[in-house]
Amino acid sequence: MTDEERVAVEQVAIRLAVAEAEKKKGLARYNELYWRSVEDVRYFPQLSADEFFEFIVEAGKRRSVERNWSQEFQIDNDNRVIVKALARYFTDTPSFVKMSEGFSLNKGILLIGDTGCGKTQLMELCTRNQKAPYTRHNCQQIAREYAGSGQKGGETVIVEYSGNERSVNGVLSMGYEFFGRFFDDLGAESTNVKHFGNESNVMAEIISKRYDAYQHHMTHFTSNLTLEELKTVYGKRVYDRLREMCNIIEFSASAKSRRK
């Protein structure tokens, strides 16, 4: 068998494996297909919303063991609808828009809830998705970077996070050229930060610049603050842009902490 024939046979085998995976659920099969490639041609699984839901559950259980959480990751009344919404969104499933008024597949996600309800973990579990993979950035860390000395601080930080990170080889980004960005714990940073005497509301500027660039579906946030608190922190103009950019998904005020 020639090299060309061998590659052709392997490509057919991978296509068949992908087709088979679409009928199955679970983390192991997803990971197997995710990492396989032939030469420079990569095939990534296109999961249904139900399959991605199962992927989130299995990945969450695995993470709870690997990180020795006090309790296993589980789906319950506090997070079931939210996980379903995320599964539909990150698989570009049309029924997502029917889940709540104003929902759109062209917007990003703003996940709001009290401390410990599992916002960050859910968004981390969805990082690798077929819609638009993204990288996680802590808002407090971004503020510290802005205040830092040297060329890596100040306006350089705002420019960096206003754009998207380029993927080195397309594997981790599911074949896309760029990663989107997930800004974790919005509102926890000091709103105004100084860099050599220049004061800036760093996240407000990043939100505005990403809004202007229409990178909505590649921009996600979590926050412990309510919508009204976000409005107070960032002002009406940025608040309005945030609402235009994002599908607002809120945990119930009674949602239990998962850190106990």
Side-chain angles (χ1 to χ4, degrees):
M1 180 182 293
T2 66
D3 288 344
E4 291 183 354
E5 291 173 332
R6 176 181 57 78
V7 170
V9 170
E10 291 181 351
Q11 288 177 335
V12 170
I14 288 180
R15 290 193 185 97
L16 291 174
V18 170
E20 178 186 353
E22 290 176 347
K23 301 177 183 178
K24 295 186 177 182
K25 301 176 181 178
L27 176 64
R29 189 56 177 161
Y30 183 95
N31 280 336
E32 177 187 349
L33 291 174
Y34 179 82
W35 290 107
R36 291 185 63 181
S37 65
V38 175
E39 303 299 333
D40 290 329
V41 180
R42 298 183 175 89
Y43 299 90
F44 300 100
Q46 296 295 304
L47 303 183
S48 68
D50 287 343
E51 289 168 332
F52 196 72
F53 182 96
E54 292 298 326
F55 166 73
I56 293 172
V57 173
E58 293 301 320
K61 290 180 179 179
R62 179 177 176 179
R63 174 172 291 198
S64 66
V65 172
E66 292 175 344
R67 300 189 179 185
N68 196 30
W69 292 352
S70 59
Q71 55 183 303
E72 183 183 66
F73 177 87
Q74 57 183 281
I75 300 297
D76 53 33
N77 291 335
D78 286 335
N79 64 7
R80 182 174 289 103
V81 173
I82 290 174
V83 176
K84 285 184 178 180
L86 294 176
R88 293 182 187 183
Y89 174 82
F90 286 115
T91 54
D92 253 342
T93 302
S95 60
F96 170 78
V97 303
K98 299 178 181 179
M99 296 188 73
S100 183
E101 184 178 356
F103 272 16
S104 169
L105 292 169
N106 295 321
K107 295 180 180 181
I109 296 292
L110 168 54
L111 193 55
I112 291 176
D114 203 0
T115 302
C117 66
K119 303 180 300 297
T120 298
Q121 295 301 330
L122 284 179
M123 290 302 292
E124 284 190 349
L125 291 172
C126 295
T127 297
R128 202 171 66 188
N129 67 81
Q130 64 208 45
K131 178 181 177 66
Y134 51 85
T135 50
R136 174 181 175 262
H137 312 280
N138 182 272
C139 293
Q140 291 177 298
Q141 178 60 34
I142 292 174
R144 286 193 289 269
E145 289 177 21
Y146 177 88
S149 60
Q151 295 180 345
K152 293 185 178 180
E155 186 65 22
T156 302
V157 173
I158 293 176
V159 171
E160 176 184 350
Y161 291 107
S162 296
N164 294 321
E165 180 181 349
R166 186 181 294 273
S167 175
V168 176
N169 59 16
V171 174
L172 292 176
S173 61
M174 298 286 281
Y176 290 95
E177 184 178 1
F178 292 95
F179 291 99
R181 293 194 188 274
F182 156 41
F183 298 100
D184 190 28
D185 217 1
L186 182 66
E189 78 284 358
S190 297
T191 50
N192 290 325
V193 187
K194 288 186 177 180
H195 175 72
F196 292 128
N198 296 319
E199 190 171 358
S200 173
N201 188 322
V202 180
M203 287 309 303
E205 289 201 38
I206 291 172
I207 290 169
S208 292
K209 289 182 182 297
R210 292 186 71 85
Y211 172 88
D212 291 339
Y214 203 74
Q215 302 185 72
H216 300 186
H217 76 290
M218 299 182 75
T219 309
H220 313 292
F221 305 90
T222 61
S223 181
N224 295 336
L225 303 184
T226 66
L227 288 174
E228 282 303 311
E229 288 171 334
L230 286 172
K231 186 176 181 179
T232 299
V233 169
Y234 295 107
K236 185 178 186 305
R237 182 169 177 269
V238 172
Y239 168 79
D240 287 344
R241 290 187 167 189
L242 196 58
R243 288 188 66 98
E244 285 186 48
M245 289 175 68
C246 297
N247 298 291
I248 313 296
I249 302 177
E250 298 183 73
F251 277 87
S252 168
S254 61
K256 65 177 179 293
S257 172
R258 297 174 188 273
R259 294 179 180 175
K260 297 179 180 179

